[in-house]
Amino acid sequence: MRIFIASIVLAIAYAIASCSARVVQYPSHIRVKRNSYIVQLYPTAQARCVQAIPGIQVSRHFDMFHGVAVSIGDSVHPSQVANIEGVKAVWPNRVFSLQYQNKTTNGSGEYLHQATRVHQAHTELGLNGTGIKIGIIDTGVDYTHPDLGACWKTPNCPWQYGGSYASDSLSPNDPPMDCMGHGTHVSGIIASRGDRVKGVAPQATLGMYRVFTCSSESADTNDANVIAAMEAAFQDGHDIISMSLGSETAWEEDPVAVLASKFVDAGVVMVVANGNSGASGLLTASTPAVGRNVISVGSVDNWNITSAHAIFTTHTGQHSVLFLPSAAPAPPFIIANNTLVVAPTDNTGSALPCTNITNDLSGKVALIQRGECTFSEKALNAQNAGAVAVVIYNNVDGMVDMAFDSNILIPGAFISMNDGRMVEESIRSGRTLVRALESDLITVPSPSGGHMSAFSSLGPTAELGLVPLISAPGGNILSTYPQSMGSYTSLSGTSMAAPYVAGAVALLKQARPDITATHIRELLVTTARPIADSSTGLVSNPYSSGGGLINIYDAIRARARIDPPLLSINNTRREHPGPINSYIRPINAYWEIHTLAIQNTDSAKSMRISLAHIAANSLTMFDKNGTLSQQLLTNQTMPTWPTNTSPVPANTLPQVLGIRGNTLVRPGQSTNITVFIAPPLGLPESERWFYGGFINFKLTWDGESTAFSHVVPYAGFNGDMRKLSVLASAPIGLPFLADSELEPIENVSELTISADTDVYLAVALDLPTRIFAASIVDATNTTRGYLPLGYSEYVGRTLLDEAPYYTIPVNRTVFHDTQMTNSSELSAGSYHVHLKVLRPFGDPARESDFQIWDSDTFKLGD
């Protein structure tokens, strides 16, 4: 599951103002609360102008956001709210989900603190978060837990602020007891005081603002709850606000992201989980993590795993194999008695059974390799063949969390590639049995420990902004849990990484009380450690890791500032780099020149600078033919360059050259260093590579032999983003017109749509788009109006772990405005669908900046 909160501000109007506000329209896959909207007002407007309109009920007032949440009756259209004088914008009240994975494993908290150097901040510097206030917006907290103070708003209690802002709360003053577990887990990461779990900032003062209900069957909240909780946390004067929630969009125009950025401008440090959609590839960061100057956080896997294990009895003896159980609602992977394991094939002869399995698996456990289709498809085929359980093994190194669809009723376990091959070889050699008991736990080193978590969402933002900003431990993290649910458990997600950073920021603020939010952001990035990728011999791309693994000890002791702390490269030109002829051979390529200001904050010693470059992996989501990568679609991993640790030509890696700047900086003084950055010229632009690396400054001070490393991450696109296709390409069959079962309609030219015919436009977006417009055109090539749900702005790309495409009804109803207020019914005749989406960085006023798709002609019946 994921904790992510999506907000959209709706400008609601009644027919008073001559110019109506903007009503945001969401695409079909975005869940919203029915008849509920967020209304943003102009600074001089008052909420009473909205309250005075019949049929509109104001449910919440927002101060910093300057707006209200409203519910409207069926007779009121949101455009009527948008037309009220003083209304600036209107958003549907979007639904958010939690950003975390299922229960996974337990690990060593002490080693986490060693790797991030939190341990040194505790032991050498004596820091523990005393005097720093951290607000947490989450599912609540079990404040009776002994490791979390066992108190609520009493003297000397860590919990001095907060309340309940979920829709099932009668009053914000209600204690925010956690019924889901997520918030208690997050709280322990920040401030647990126990022996088993050691929080990052155990003496910080805390506030919990519950925004998730206990009555809902799903882990959801909405914009109204989140905005209200954010404003309450701000009013309570927190130094840091931690949010492990979000919504799938790569646009910073979202209202929750806008509000988070306002808080940063006011001096609050906003720490937000970047998202858990890494299996969908690039451009998967969520909001509000993409907000301007927000500290967005990616996840690194824990170094140790303590988990359940299964005993496989083979012809060579017994073997203990660690596994990750499939997420709920699948039953736990418990096999009390030794049970036969088989490796089935499907009706095509494939050992990756993605179609019906030919073996009789009654009473048996199926061993299946990952690949070519989803976990759920494999599990369903095994279930239909009679299997009592399914074991899926990886096709690459490492372990991943596995979730099944709700129709899977058998337990599942995920094991490593090496263990899977061992079991498969045993099956070929003879009879193989397996058993797994609930209480059996083992601890082993994690093969992915210290690497970026596979689930961690990647940047860039829709306009090539660099996210995440920083990374922290988030995979397989042991922390506190409600006592009614077992007191302790391990969870995975950027939900776990964000509170780790929030706690680390508390240590930094305790050590340096006058430090600003901007300075904190700079230090976290520039003192981080780039994360090695053992599969390539390079380091992880900044679009995956940001600056790298947090290094709070060096951040606290830093004596230099670098501005800007990161570089988002927006290549939109190809030309000869004339200004640097004397420094590099003439080239015809995309390039960037940036100037970095480096300040020596030591008041007594001069600082010397040497510059180096660390090249990172390049990433792509596409195959050479321009379609979405089959590797990404089948294995949830992206093509990476280099492909292995073998040496590669230098021109296939990005290059950085320092071309100007002083290398000696006097105490308290600054210097400017100018750098030239070139993309990996040896990688074909047609393969759409996203590249990056780190400008590494080695800093030494007079009389000291130890050099301190500061990095400036940079990342960009190897080509011109404006030329890229937004729509998923034709070879994978999209867009298309679909029937009521969402199957493609083969002969659209023979289609007649009547009142009892359900037809949809199915669309997948490989990239986000600023404008999405689907209209219907008649036989004279005249546009007759937008389809229902046919106009949206700031639309994110289609995520592979969500709906595979967006669906839009095609019928006789059309709308004549982007607000979807003025509709009419079309007469019988011949029509076709006309779809246009704005390319990256495109100008809405320039028709050539849109990508166009037209369906075949069909008929609308009487």
Side-chain angles (χ1 to χ4, degrees):
M1 286 188 285
R2 297 184 297 175
I3 274 194
F4 269 13
I5 295 184
S7 310
I8 297 189
V9 182
L10 291 174
I12 304 179
Y14 208 64
I16 297 176
S18 58
C19 181
S20 66
R22 180 170 67 102
V23 178
V24 173
Q25 303 292 332
Y26 284 126
S28 60
H29 72 290
I30 298 293
R31 291 187 299 149
V32 298
K33 189 175 180 180
R34 186 173 181 271
N35 289 346
S36 181
Y37 295 88
I38 306 297
V39 181
Q40 189 177 31
L41 304 172
Y42 283 104
T44 58
Q46 302 295 320
R48 60 175 176 268
C49 66
V50 178
Q51 290 174 301
I53 307 303
I56 299 176
Q57 182 178 354
V58 174
S59 57
R60 293 190 188 273
H61 293 259
F62 308 130
D63 296 328
M64 284 287 288
F65 184 72
H66 196 63
V68 292
V70 301
S71 298
I72 63 175
D74 291 335
S75 62
V76 179
H77 193 277
S79 63
Q80 294 175 282
V81 184
N83 288 324
I84 298 173
E85 188 172 12
V87 168
K88 183 179 180 181
V90 177
W91 281 266
N93 190 7
R94 189 163 52 177
V95 171
F96 287 83
S97 300
L98 293 168
Q99 295 283 20
Y100 72 112
Q101 309 294 307
N102 58 297
K103 289 185 183 180
T104 53
T105 57
N106 296 332
S108 168
E110 196 58 43
Y111 192 78
L112 301 182
H113 294 340
Q114 294 279 4
T116 59
R117 305 191 78 183
V118 164
H119 178 74
Q120 286 177 277
H122 287 170
T123 58
E124 293 183 21
L125 305 180
L127 300 172
N128 55 22
T130 297
I132 307 302
K133 295 165 63 175
I134 305 175
I136 307 166
I137 297 173
D138 216 289
T139 66
V141 61
D142 180 0
Y143 46 83
T144 68
H145 198 296
D147 289 5
L148 298 175
C151 56
W152 180 253
K153 293 186 178 181
T154 56
N156 300 317
C157 178
W159 301 101
Q160 293 295 323
Y161 303 95
S164 295
Y165 293 83
S167 56
D168 63 348
S169 300
L170 298 178
S171 168
N173 295 322
D174 290 344
M177 178 55 76
D178 187 6
C179 60
M180 297 173 63
H182 186 278
T184 302
H185 196 275
V186 163
S187 299
I189 292 171
I190 294 175
S192 173
R193 301 178 174 186
D195 293 330
R196 187 170 183 184
V197 175
K198 297 178 174 62
V200 179
Q203 295 301 315
T205 301
L206 307 173
M208 173 58 74
Y209 303 81
R210 182 169 74 91
V211 294
F212 288 81
T213 66
C214 287
S215 57
S216 173
E217 293 183 359
S218 59
D220 296 329
T221 187
N222 56 59
D223 286 336
N225 294 345
V226 173
I227 292 174
M230 290 174 69
E231 292 209 337
F234 180 83
Q235 295 297 333
D236 285 340
H238 287 290
D239 303 292
I240 306 158
I241 296 177
S242 178
M243 300 176 65
S244 291
L245 62 171
S247 175
E248 63 271 19
T249 178
W251 297 94
E252 65 180 44
E253 284 78 5
D254 178 272
V256 171
V258 170
L259 184 59
S261 296
K262 282 187 176 182
F263 288 178
V264 176
D265 292 342
V268 178
V269 180
M270 298 296 300
V271 183
V272 183
N274 200 51
N276 294 347
S277 295
S280 291
L282 293 154
L283 294 146
T284 52
S286 64
T287 183
V290 296
R292 178 180 49 83
N293 293 330
V294 166
I295 297 175
S296 51
V297 186
S299 173
V300 173
D301 278 351
N302 193 356
W303 288 259
N304 294 318
I305 298 178
T306 301
S307 184
H309 72 126
I311 301 297
F312 285 87
T313 301
T314 73
H315 66 289
T316 61
Q318 290 190 339
H319 301 269
S320 176
V321 174
L322 180 144
F323 67 84
L324 299 181
S326 55
F333 191 85
I334 300 173
I335 302 175
N337 301 310
N338 279 325
T339 302
L340 186 65
V341 185
V342 297
T345 57
D346 62 20
N347 55 17
T348 69
S350 172
L352 303 173
C354 292
T355 60
N356 291 337
I357 290 174
T358 54
N359 310 67
D360 180 6
L361 302 183
S362 299
K364 303 170 186 175
V365 174
L367 176 75
I368 300 174
Q369 187 180 28
R370 178 185 184 185
E372 290 194 6
C373 59
T374 67
F375 293 138
S376 292
E377 289 172 307
K378 293 175 183 290
L380 182 61
N381 291 331
Q383 177 176 286
N384 290 342
V388 295
V390 60
V391 175
I392 296 179
Y393 69 95
N394 213 346
N395 52 5
V396 294
D397 289 334
M399 303 273 279
V400 299
D401 294 307
M402 179 173 66
F404 292 157
D405 293 338
S406 58
N407 59 341
I408 308 301
L409 306 179
I410 60 174
F414 191 88
I415 65 176
S416 71
M417 178 173 63
N418 288 339
D419 286 335
R421 288 174 175 174
M422 179 274 295
V423 176
E424 185 178 44
E425 174 61 29
S426 171
I427 292 172
R428 285 197 294 265
S429 301
R431 183 179 174 87
T432 301
L433 305 174
V434 65
R435 66 177 176 84
L437 303 180
E438 184 176 16
S439 59
D440 283 352
L441 296 174
I442 58 174
T443 299
V444 298
S446 170
S448 60
H451 291 77
M452 293 303 301
S453 302
F455 57 76
S456 190
S457 287
L458 294 89
T461 68
E463 294 182 323
L464 287 179
L466 204 166
V467 291
L469 196 74
I470 193 76
S471 294
N476 307 323
I477 306 302
L478 175 68
S479 186
T480 49
Y481 217 49
Q483 294 175 90
S484 62
M485 302 179 187
S487 297
Y488 303 94
T489 197
S490 287
L491 298 175
S492 292
T494 55
S495 278
M496 286 63 249
Y500 197 99
V501 171
V505 171
L507 303 182
L508 177 56
K509 282 190 69 68
Q510 181 187 3
R512 306 172 72 163
D514 297 328
I515 194 170
T516 66
T518 298
H519 194 179
I520 288 170
R521 185 173 180 269
E522 291 174 9
L523 289 180
L524 290 184
V525 176
T526 60
T527 61
R529 296 173 172 178
I531 296 171
D533 185 341
S534 58
S535 67
T536 65
L538 299 184
V539 295
S540 294
N541 190 292
Y543 285 146
S544 172
S545 67
L549 180 66
I550 189 171
N551 175 5
I552 198 62
Y553 183 70
D554 280 3
I556 292 167
R557 300 187 306 149
R559 290 177 285 169
R561 294 189 65 175
I562 304 178
D563 182 38
L566 54 85
L567 299 174
S568 297
I569 300 177
N570 174 8
N571 297 119
T572 56
R573 64 190 183 279
R574 174 185 284 278
E575 56 190 68
H576 186 277
I580 61 163
N581 280 346
S582 60
Y583 298 94
I584 197 167
R585 63 181 177 79
I587 59 173
N588 181 34
Y590 298 100
W591 55 272
E592 290 274 338
I593 289 180
H594 289 274
T595 298
L596 301 167
I598 305 180
Q599 180 185 8
N600 177 10
T601 59
D602 193 304
S603 61
K605 297 181 179 182
S606 293
M607 176 182 74
R608 296 184 183 276
I609 304 170
S610 66
L611 183 149
H613 174 235
I614 304 172
N617 297 333
S618 291
L619 305 171
T620 186
M621 298 189 296
F622 302 95
D623 287 331
K624 292 181 180 181
N625 63 0
T627 64
L628 206 63
S629 165
Q630 286 300 308
Q631 179 179 328
L632 181 61
L633 291 171
T634 58
N635 296 334
Q636 293 79 54
T637 60
M638 281 183 295
T640 301
W641 183 262
T643 58
N644 54 47
T645 57
S646 300
V648 297
N651 70 346
T652 63
L653 302 176
Q655 306 294 321
V656 170
L657 179 68
I659 59 177
R660 282 191 297 274
N662 295 324
T663 59
L664 177 64
V665 187
R666 301 296 181 187
Q669 299 299 306
S670 298
T671 190
N672 290 334
I673 300 290
T674 300
V675 295
F676 166 82
I677 302 174
L681 306 177
L683 295 182
E685 284 188 28
S686 60
E687 296 180 10
R688 305 183 188 183
W689 291 98
F690 290 77
Y691 67 93
F694 299 83
I695 304 168
N696 187 13
F697 294 96
K698 295 290 187 179
L699 309 178
T700 57
W701 279 262
D702 286 349
E704 301 178 17
S705 59
T706 302
F708 290 83
S709 177
H710 286 247
V711 296
V712 174
Y714 69 89
F717 175 69
N718 184 33
D720 189 344
M721 286 283 288
R722 294 177 303 183
K723 297 179 180 179
L724 295 186
S725 296
V726 174
L727 297 172
S729 54
I732 64 171
L734 290 163
F736 59 79
L737 296 186
D739 59 22
S740 59
E741 301 298 322
L742 299 182
E743 295 294 330
I745 297 172
E746 296 295 336
N747 298 310
V748 173
S749 59
E750 300 177 6
L751 172 66
T752 298
I753 302 176
S754 59
D756 58 354
T757 305
D758 292 325
V759 174
Y760 300 90
L761 169 65
V763 183
L765 303 181
D766 284 347
L767 299 173
T769 182
R770 168 70 173 76
I771 294 176
F772 177 102
S775 55
I776 196 163
V777 178
D778 65 19
T780 67
N781 211 31
T782 300
T783 299
R784 301 299 299 274
Y786 295 110
L787 297 174
L789 303 177
Y791 185 88
S792 300
E793 297 183 4
Y794 300 109
V795 182
R797 61 164 287 234
T798 308
L799 300 184
L800 304 180
D801 57 351
E802 302 288 344
Y805 40 72
Y806 306 150
T807 55
I808 299 161
V810 180
N811 51 46
R812 296 179 61 174
T813 302
V814 293
F815 290 85
H816 305 287
D817 63 332
T818 60
Q819 315 282 27
M820 300 287 155
T821 60
N822 181 15
S823 65
S824 64
E825 298 293 311
L826 296 175
S827 58
S830 296
Y831 299 89
H832 74 271
V833 170
H834 178 75
L835 173 64
K836 66 178 189 178
V837 291
L838 190 64
R839 297 181 191 271
F841 302 102
D843 181 355
R846 186 185 299 128
E847 192 68 18
S848 61
D849 284 356
F850 285 86
Q851 183 182 359
I852 305 297
W853 176 85
D854 290 285
S855 75
D856 290 340
T857 300
F858 54 85
K859 288 184 171 58
L860 291 179
D862 294 325

